[in-house]
Amino acid sequence: MWSLKKQLLSPHQLPIEGPWSVSVREDQVDGKVMIVRSNTGYREFRSVPGYEHQAGIAVPFRDPEPTGLPSPDEDAELGELEATIRQSLQEHAESLLVAIITADGVREFVFYTRAPEQLKHRFEQLRNRFTSHEIQLMIQLDKDWEIYAELARPHSN
């Protein structure tokens, strides 16, 4: 049994591509919408050993709609930015994209990483590359993947 679990948790066996689910949550205070896309392939793991640091890359919108969501044009730009971030940070499964939050004028990409220093280096390269949007990085210890558990939990409005 142990060898099977070890094989499932190797970087090449992780559900990097999904499946993904989308949940729409409405803020009870101001009625704004929060859209959470989460990679539900990680639900079967409580956490992935070695990926103990949670990283958030926040991208503030230039001109959000009154709902707090991006305009269609900006959303298309954010899609291109997302593809570049994914490709760079998930290389060699150093970091795992587990969720994407869109709300209140910001899109945040939620990763877990086994290489926080390498992630910082790649982030700096990305920040220098993007001119359309400012990007911000935050890294914190989250061995039990509590942030992912909250984001991947099904919500009802």
Side-chain angles (χ1 to χ4, degrees):
M1 181 77 157
W2 178 81
S3 63
L4 177 61
K5 185 173 182 176
K6 185 176 179 182
Q7 180 182 2
L8 286 174
L9 297 179
S10 73
H12 301 295
Q13 298 296 320
L14 293 168
I16 290 173
E17 297 302 321
W20 287 78
S21 72
V22 176
S23 68
V24 179
R25 305 172 190 181
E26 187 174 319
D27 187 304
Q28 300 303 317
V29 177
D30 65 9
K32 288 192 176 179
V33 173
M34 177 170 69
I35 300 171
V36 178
R37 291 184 279 156
S38 61
N39 183 332
T40 59
Y42 292 106
R43 282 186 186 161
E44 67 183 83
F45 309 106
R46 296 214 168 175
S47 64
V48 177
Y51 293 84
E52 298 178 345
H53 289 86
Q54 183 270 324
I57 295 181
V59 183
F61 305 152
R62 289 188 313 267
D63 188 25
E65 300 284 324
T67 60
L69 300 177
S71 69
D73 288 343
E74 189 168 15
D75 194 49
E77 291 175 13
L78 292 167
E80 292 174 22
L81 191 142
E82 175 181 332
T84 303
I85 289 172
R86 276 182 188 236
Q87 182 180 15
S88 175
L89 298 185
Q90 290 192 126
E91 188 174 351
H92 307 297
E94 288 176 353
S95 299
L96 309 172
L97 179 62
V98 299
I100 301 164
I101 306 162
T102 303
D104 204 19
V106 176
R107 180 159 297 162
E108 181 175 351
F109 302 94
V110 180
F111 287 87
Y112 281 87
T113 186
R114 61 185 167 101
E117 292 305 315
Q118 183 64 18
L119 186 145
K120 288 177 189 175
H121 175 73
R122 290 179 188 268
F123 171 80
E124 287 303 322
Q125 291 175 331
L126 289 168
R127 184 164 60 184
N128 292 333
R129 181 175 172 186
F130 293 122
T131 57
S132 65
H133 289 83
E134 172 190 349
I135 61 174
Q136 304 161 0
L137 174 67
M138 179 277 314
I139 299 177
Q140 63 186 351
L141 193 61
D142 184 10
K143 291 180 181 183
D144 297 325
W145 284 40
E146 292 176 19
I147 292 166
Y148 170 76
E150 175 60 28
L151 292 171
R153 183 171 53 89
H155 281 73
S156 60
N157 289 340

